Structures are given as structure tokens and as C-alpha cells.
Amino acid sequence: MLLVALLGLLVPGFLLSGAAPASAHAALSDTGPRDGTVLRSAPRHLDLTFTESVGLLDGSVRMLDPDGSRVRLAEPSHGPGGARTVRVDLPRGLGKGTYTVAWRVVSADSHPVSGAFTFSVGERTPVVAAPDTGPAEDPATKSLHNIARYLAYLAVALLIGAAAFVAVCRPPDPAPLRAPLRLAWGTLLAATLALLALRAPYEAGTGPSTAFDASALTHTLTSRPGLALLVRLALLAPAGFVLARLLRGSRSRVTFGTGAAVAVALPLTWAAAEHASAGIQVPVAVASHALHLLAAAVWLGGLVAVYRTHVPPSSAARFSRVAFTSVTVLVVTGTYQSWRGLGPLDALTSTSYGRLLLAKLGAVALLLTVAWASRRWTRRLVAVGAAVPARERVPAMAGGPAEVPEAADEQPPPPAPYRRALRRSVLAEAGIGVVVLVLTTVLTSTLPGRAAAEAAAAGNDTAPAGQPRAAVTTVPFDLGTTGGRGTVQISLDPARVGENSVQAVVFGPDGGLSTVPELRLSFTLPAQDIGPLTADLTDRGGYWATDSLNLPVAGDWTMKVTVRTTDVDQVTEPTRVRVWG
């Protein structure tokens, strides 16, 4: 029943996390050419710099010319700055106009990230094609990948924790733990195989049907996340050996030594492929991450073992000491990891990572409160067990019957009520622990506050990965007259607070370019009662533009487009455009 309850808490977690947009761990901190710049001559190559090291995919960088056609590029490679940089050589003879660059890479902590930026040669021209940042995340692949990740975390916690309980706390009958341990081992095996198969389509944003493509599997097996998963699979063999020996009552040094080695190595396969593997102080962070996961597994898995077995006072006392040690390790390593991932304190409220961390800290505080209650019931159970008098037989006189001492007048209360109270608090503790585990797993899919701060220092603070720096909006209009229909494509670059340039192109009902005698734009921010601010557009021969639109505040602005086709026919259409900070 406890396992069913834990899964009931787990499933909503991965469904909610799967519904949110994917968060990237590597943030783009700089580009060469810089986003939105106008160059006198064509560059020789493209350079992208990220906040952490990244891996390259097939077609990691693509570029569209001013007409929207794809430019043939050389294969990207890491630049002079090392694994945090990407360089692509450009062909000679690039013409004048605005080019759109789309990129997709894999961050050091194994999560894919994509984005786009623009630059111009000679002069700006309208962006006539939406930037191709690669395929959107496939919902089926993402859901299956999330399910496998959550199940792997839950399984390793149960596997390590229940096995440690058998080895250290020595319950008199470990048979009730045989089924949970086998379930944990099998679940971890299945989840690891699923993660290995889904790795390539998860990175590329394709469907699950591409999971067994030979070239994709080869790439996965030679990547760092793939190698970590292979090591995890290999560790399951000695883990199965240790489980079999423990459940048969083995107490040999080989069993304990092998079990301890596996228990330490398994968490390292997570630490080597997630947040700890990138950023500052990597060796310390990897060790801290592994200890954090190990301590959580010993605690939470041990709680399941306490609930499933008839725990005598001696075993309860041992687990109480083990749990206290685990909590101490969790507090120390959790404090370090929070500092390392969060960065500045204002990131607690200004970033998704910080807000999730606050939620986790609240859940941990509640968990520690319940754990304190469990420890109190454990002490009472141990005290009662020690107070129950042993009915010792007195040696009989020669030829006479054995004598039994008289029972004490005052018998201590039976341990059953304390045992029931302990089981209830353990159940609550395990349930809250799974919530903490879910929040922890979601944190591993969220851009750390420190990375967001680094991106902010480079001027890329609030636009999410995958969001081109220029906002392109298409506004339809209809004057109700013959030939009075069409669309206006408006590019706001860089769509950030401060000076912006605007280019607008009018298309007729047949989709071709159309000329109009007047085009006006105004911007209003209703939330702060700002505006209207008028963009002074001028006709530049085929399109309308201005380089001096100042938008002072970030937010969702209302942009009104007024199109005049004759002396008396005009129409105004409103739309919304996002301006980043």
C-alpha cells in the first residue's frame, strides 16, 4: 500500500513538470556577430558562447539568408574558448541583408537547448522567414523521458535505502522487503534502458519511433550521459548479487563491501550527468550531489523498510541513528548545492529555479518536523522495549519444579500503540519525502539562478532559450474594399527595453509586396499606463522603418498598426508584443 501511495504522489509530479516548457541549463551569453548588429562586410565565421560547456548535434547551427533560403554551412565545432563555445565557418560572398541563425545544442548537464539570433550585412532587411530553432519537443518523447527519470529516482532510493536497512539495522525477518527490493531493482533496470533508448530523440526533439536509429544510438553510447547510463546498467549486476546475499542473511565482508561500493557508485551516475557536472567547483559539486542522493536514498528507502517490516526496538533505534546521520548529510550538501545553483539571493524570487528551491525548502522543513515526531516515537518504543521484564527462570531445587518469579505489580504499557504511531509518522514522512524528491527532479530540469545571472551579465537575462532576440509579428488587416486586404509583417529588434529598430513590410491579398501611402505604429503599456508611444516610420522603398523607438519598460505592450491605402481608406489593428528586460 505504501508503494501505491508513493506512486500516487509521483505521477502528478511528472505530469505537471511535463506540462511546463522545457528549461535549459546552458544559457547563450554572447554571439559573434552580436545579435541585431549591422556589419559593413560579411563575417568569416559565427561564434556562440554559453554559460557552460555544450555538446553538438547534427545540424546544430543553421542559417537563413535574407530571402529565407537555407545557407550551406560547414560542420560546427568547439571554438578557441573550449567546450563553452561553438564556431562555424561561413561561405564567402554573403550578400546584403538580414540573416537569421538558429542553433540547438546539448548542455553539459544533458538537457537540449535551442535559440536564434539575427545579424545584418550592409543594411537591415525584413525577416521574411520564421527562424528555425529545430523541431519542437515531441510531447510523447518528453513524457516518456520524464516518467523514466522519476521512476529511476524512486527506484534507486528504494533499492539503496531498503538494502541499507537490512544490512545495518538487521531486522529479524527481512522477508517482507524481498518484493519491494526486487521491484526497485527491476524498475531501475527498465527505467535506465528507457532513458538510454530515449536519449537521442530527447536531444533531437523527435518522436519515440526514432529511438532505435543506429546512428542515434551510436551517438548516445559515446556521449557522457549515455556512458553514465551504461555504467548504471553495469552496476545493477553486483547490486543484484548483494540483494540476493542480504536476503539470505549473509553478513560477510564481501557482501558488505560490494554493497557499499555499489551504493556509492550508483548516485555518481546521476551526479556525472546533471547540474553538478557543469559550472563552478565541479569535483566538489559531483561529490556533494552523490552524497545528497545517497543520504536521501538511505533515509527514504529506509522509511519504506520500517513501514513494511515488524521493527523490534533495537532495529528502530539503529535506523533512528542512521536517519539522523542522513539528515545531517542532506542539510550540509543541500546548503552547498543551493548556494552553487542559486547564485545571488534575489534569484530566490526572480527565477523559476529560486521559486522551486523555496518550495523544496518548505517541503523539507515539513519533512524534518514529521521526522522529529518519528524519532520521538522511536525513543518511546525503545524505552518501552527495554522496560519489559524478561521472564527469567530461577534454577530449581534438586528434584523440585522450576520457579518463576512473581510478576511485577506495575507492568509497562505495551509497545503496540507506539509502533502504530511510528508507522503513521513514517508513512507521512515517506509521502512528504517523495514530494521533495519530485521537486528535486524538477530542479534538475530548470535553469539555475547562477546561470541566469551569468546570462544577465552578458545582456541575455530574461529572454528564454529558444526565443529569438527580434520579435516578428504578422498583423492582418481588412478595409472592406476591393484590394483592401493584406498583412503587415513587423520586426521589432531587439524587442528589449531601450532603443529598438522597427521594420515593417506590407503584403497584399495575393501575398506579394504592396505599397501604401502611409503606415503608422504606436505602442501602449496598459499595465503601467504608459503611452501611446509613436514609432516614426519612414518609407525606405519597399518597407517602412525607424531606428529610434525607445521602449522604457519590459512587459506585454499593445501595438496598434494603422494602414492607409487611399486618402480616405484606413484601418487600425491592435496586437500584443512582448518586450524583454
Side-chain angles (χ1 to χ4, degrees), residues 128-170:
V128 298
D132 177 16
T133 61
E137 286 186 328
D138 183 84
T141 299
K142 183 180 179 182
S143 297
L144 290 173
H145 190 269
N146 279 345
I147 291 171
R149 288 180 66 238
Y150 280 90
L151 288 178
Y153 268 110
L154 182 61
V156 76
L158 179 58
L159 181 67
I160 293 177
F165 180 84
V166 173
V168 177
C169 300
R170 302 191 294 275

Side-chain angles (χ1 to χ4, degrees), residues 552-570:
V553 179
D556 292 319
W557 288 72
T558 299
M559 179 173 65
K560 291 185 178 181
V561 184
T562 300
V563 182
R564 183 169 65 84
T565 58
T566 69
D567 290 340
V568 295
D569 295 319
Q570 72 176 36

Side-chain angles (χ1 to χ4, degrees), residues 167-195:
V168 177
C169 300
R170 302 191 294 275
D173 181 18
L177 296 177
R178 186 172 287 113
L181 282 169
R182 288 174 177 171
L183 175 63
W185 189 91
T187 300
L188 185 56
L189 174 64
T192 304
L193 289 172
L195 289 170

Side-chain angles (χ1 to χ4, degrees), residues 356-390:
L356 278 170
L357 183 59
L358 285 176
K360 179 184 175 181
L361 291 176
V364 168
L366 181 60
L367 181 60
L368 292 176
T369 302
V370 178
W372 175 82
S374 297
R375 187 171 175 83
R376 184 186 63 177
W377 289 119
T378 299
R379 287 198 300 266
R380 292 187 179 183
L381 181 62
V382 172
V384 170
V388 173

